[in-house]
Amino acid sequence: SSVPKKQKNQSLPKKTVNKPKHSYLPRKKSSFLSFIVQILFFLAFAAGGYYLWAEGYLADYIPGAPPPRPLSYDYLPDVTSALSEGKIKRAMIQASDALNSLDGALETKKQAALQLAFASYLSRAGNPGARCREIAETLNSEGLEIDAPELAVLFYLSKPAYTAKRLRSALKNKGSVVLAGEIAIFLKNVYTPNAPNRVSEVREAYKRYNVGLAVFPDDAWVKCFNERVRIWYDWLFMRKGDISSLEKLIASTNLSSSNLTKSGVGTSTKRGAVFIPRALRDLTPQSLRASRSFASKRPRPASFDFSPKILDAYFSSLPSRIAVRERKRAEQVTALKRYLCAMMFHMPYTGKTIKLRDGTILRGKVMANPKYLSIKLSSDERKRVNWNNLAPSQFAKMLAFFAKTRTDMGKMKDGAQGYMRTALFCDWYARYDDAVKYAKMAIETDSSVTKEITDLITK
């Protein structure tokens, strides 16, 4: 029998996949859809880019891009109206109420802060720079960022060293606050007789403000000065207009010859390059004491912390004419402890000695906070002293120390303001010899404080 031959293993045939006809059609459809999606994405990207461009969000990143469209909300139309009519007292009351409201929105308070700052300058009430510092502190306590444009305006109005160039840089592309910045530059230079380039800065701010009027919408609140700046400019440079309709700051100023004319100061005599009004030149500690017969009831807390309730009771006990001026003095005096704490936060007091109420004399460097003073003695020992243990005379010396420090740095206006604060403190605490001395030192340091001192010390 024959043996069958081995058959070779035959591999199974490969399974073939039948490709459908026109297999390229789905790919073509997918490619077409992808193309459509890309086009839509590009259009959306272009539209978003155009929106950011048109709305000004790219102004800080692309040279030549348009600035942001200004916010034109007017949260305080009554204050705006009062400012536009030159009714400064009414504007101050309403703006102050809005700023200090417990339930006011932050946007409303920002507008109120700037309006109150401008009204403070226009009214020449007290010390506008110090008032603007307080306003800035109020906004800061409300949670406003330190780089907010409103704070830049307030810093410029309250800090002599803060320049117009720095302010304009801070406000670049910040909407209608730019106009507020130009009003601030205008008013601060009108107010400050010894400001560098005073006349040119006023003219430049006037020009920039008028150019800005065409850019921002009509309901931007800061446009309320539209007519006022023209009236101010005509009076300051051409003496045109009705003085009875002008704000105190404008009415008392003449820039046509770059001189400041003071109304109600009285005749004066020349001492070197400084003019001392007769009312202040003839002032003596005895005459000042005699004019303060009403002051025996003044609250004079040992801790230098003043109770608003006690102050109000004191003011209500006075004749209205005297009460108004006492309130102005109190605005300065009640802030002095806070002022000293702020100064000593940056620079310790290094006077020769520190005198306490019980007559104890200490020597060392002093730092302070609202609760106590920390004195680093020469032995490197630290001693805590409560404010109510500090003699009022020592408090005055600390104020005068920082006034002299600012003067030695070449900041004459700051130094003069410091001496004026010292004089007002001494007056309030019945240290009339020192009050007269520091009042005259303030004018000799910078005569721009003459009117304030005359109003607050001699009357």
Side-chain angles (χ1 to χ4, degrees):
S1 62
S2 61
V3 179
K5 291 182 180 179
K6 270 187 181 181
Q7 295 184 349
K8 289 183 180 180
N9 290 332
Q10 295 182 354
S11 59
L12 293 173
K14 290 182 180 179
K15 189 175 182 181
T16 60
V17 179
N18 293 326
K19 295 182 180 180
K21 289 184 178 182
H22 310 298
S23 61
Y24 58 85
L25 287 178
R27 286 199 300 270
K28 184 175 182 181
K29 185 176 181 181
S30 174
S31 178
F32 179 76
L33 288 175
S34 175
F35 176 76
I36 294 298
V37 169
Q38 290 177 28
I39 290 292
L40 292 175
F41 179 81
F42 175 80
L43 291 175
F45 182 83
Y50 178 78
Y51 173 81
L52 293 175
W53 171 276
E55 292 298 316
Y57 292 106
L58 302 179
D60 291 335
Y61 310 99
I62 301 178
R69 292 184 180 179
L71 292 175
S72 57
Y73 302 110
D74 186 354
Y75 298 98
L76 298 166
D78 290 341
V79 183
T80 303
S81 176
L83 290 174
S84 68
E85 297 169 8
K87 297 178 179 178
I88 302 305
K89 185 175 181 180
R90 189 179 82 189
M92 289 185 72
I93 294 171
Q94 293 174 335
S96 181
D97 289 343
L99 179 63
N100 296 310
S101 171
L102 295 177
D103 55 355
L106 183 57
E107 289 298 323
T108 302
K109 293 193 173 191
K110 289 194 293 187
Q111 178 179 327
L114 293 184
Q115 290 178 322
L116 180 57
F118 295 152
S120 298
Y121 264 85
L122 286 165
S123 68
R124 294 187 64 90
N127 180 348
R131 183 73 177 113
C132 289
R133 281 193 291 275
E134 294 174 2
I135 295 170
E137 290 173 6
T138 300
L139 277 186
N140 201 14
S141 68
E142 293 286 340
L144 190 63
E145 302 84 2
I146 194 65
D147 60 348
E150 292 81 5
L151 284 179
V153 176
L154 293 170
F155 290 155
Y156 171 78
L157 290 172
S158 61
K159 297 180 178 181
Y162 202 113
T163 64
K165 181 179 179 180
R166 180 179 175 186
L167 175 63
R168 288 182 176 125
S169 176
L171 298 184
K172 187 177 180 181
N173 301 321
K174 299 300 182 183
S176 58
V177 183
V178 171
L179 286 180
E182 297 305 328
I183 291 295
I185 294 169
F186 188 104
L187 295 180
K188 182 178 177 180
N189 280 279
V190 171
Y191 179 83
T192 311
N194 299 323
N197 307 314
R198 182 190 187 202
V199 172
S200 60
E201 284 286 9
V202 171
R203 291 185 185 274
E204 179 68 12
Y206 174 77
K207 181 180 72 174
R208 286 173 176 260
Y209 180 82
N210 282 291
V211 170
L213 289 174
V215 178
F216 299 101
D218 291 336
D219 54 343
W221 73 262
V222 77
K223 277 195 168 185
C224 67
F225 294 110
N226 182 10
E227 295 299 325
R228 300 309 298 172
V229 292
R230 294 172 189 170
I231 294 171
W232 299 343
Y233 195 87
D234 286 348
W235 175 263
L236 293 171
F237 291 100
M238 293 169 279
R239 299 316 257 181
K240 291 182 180 178
D242 177 9
I243 191 172
S244 64
S245 67
L246 297 172
E247 297 85 344
K248 287 184 178 180
L249 172 63
I250 307 301
S252 65
T253 311
N254 177 11
L255 294 181
S256 59
S257 59
S258 302
N259 292 324
L260 184 69
T261 58
K262 307 278 188 179
S263 59
V265 174
T267 57
S268 60
T269 184
K270 191 173 183 180
R271 178 185 295 178
V274 179
F275 289 88
I276 306 294
R278 178 176 295 174
L280 188 57
R281 174 167 51 94
D282 295 340
L283 186 68
T284 64
Q286 294 75 24
S287 63
L288 181 57
R289 185 186 301 275
S291 69
R292 295 294 189 258
S293 57
F294 60 85
S296 59
K297 296 181 181 178
R298 277 177 172 170
R300 293 170 180 145
S303 64
F304 312 109
D305 288 318
F306 290 79
S307 162
K309 185 176 180 180
I310 294 174
L311 280 172
D312 287 340
Y314 166 61
F315 296 141
S316 64
S317 70
L318 299 173
S320 58
R321 179 179 59 82
I322 295 175
V324 169
R325 205 168 297 279
E326 277 289 85
R327 284 182 182 275
K328 291 181 180 179
R329 285 188 273 258
E331 285 179 6
Q332 299 277 342
V333 175
T334 56
L336 290 179
K337 180 179 177 180
R338 188 166 65 248
Y339 166 78
L340 271 184
C341 289
M343 295 302 291
M344 280 190 265
F345 178 80
H346 298 287
M347 177 191 300
Y349 169 76
T350 55
K352 294 180 180 179
T353 59
I354 301 98
K355 183 179 179 180
L356 305 185
R357 282 181 182 268
D358 62 4
T360 302
I361 301 295
L362 302 175
R363 299 178 186 274
K365 295 182 179 180
V366 185
M367 301 293 284
N369 62 47
K371 293 183 179 179
Y372 58 83
L373 302 105
S374 176
I375 305 174
K376 185 178 181 180
L377 304 175
S378 54
S379 61
D380 282 342
E381 176 189 356
R382 286 195 177 273
K383 183 177 181 65
R384 285 188 178 184
V385 174
N386 292 330
W387 282 96
N388 55 12
N389 290 329
L390 191 72
S393 60
Q394 183 61 56
F395 192 98
K397 285 182 179 179
M398 289 177 170
L399 291 171
F401 170 84
F402 288 107
K404 184 179 185 301
T405 300
R406 304 298 279 180
T407 302
D408 292 344
M409 294 169 64
K411 298 183 177 181
M412 311 306 287
K413 180 67 179 291
D414 277 4
Q417 294 283 358
Y419 285 127
M420 183 181 71
R421 294 187 192 101
T422 311
L424 289 170
F425 173 83
C426 292
D427 174 23
W428 192 274
Y429 275 79
R431 302 187 61 81
Y432 298 116
D433 287 28
D434 288 336
V436 173
K437 178 182 74 174
Y438 288 121
K440 293 181 178 179
M441 287 177 67
I443 294 177
E444 290 167 356
T445 302
D446 189 320
S447 61
S448 65
V449 299
T450 299
K451 187 176 187 303
E452 278 185 90
I453 290 180
T454 303
D455 289 343
L456 295 174
I457 297 291
T458 66
K459 298 180 181 179

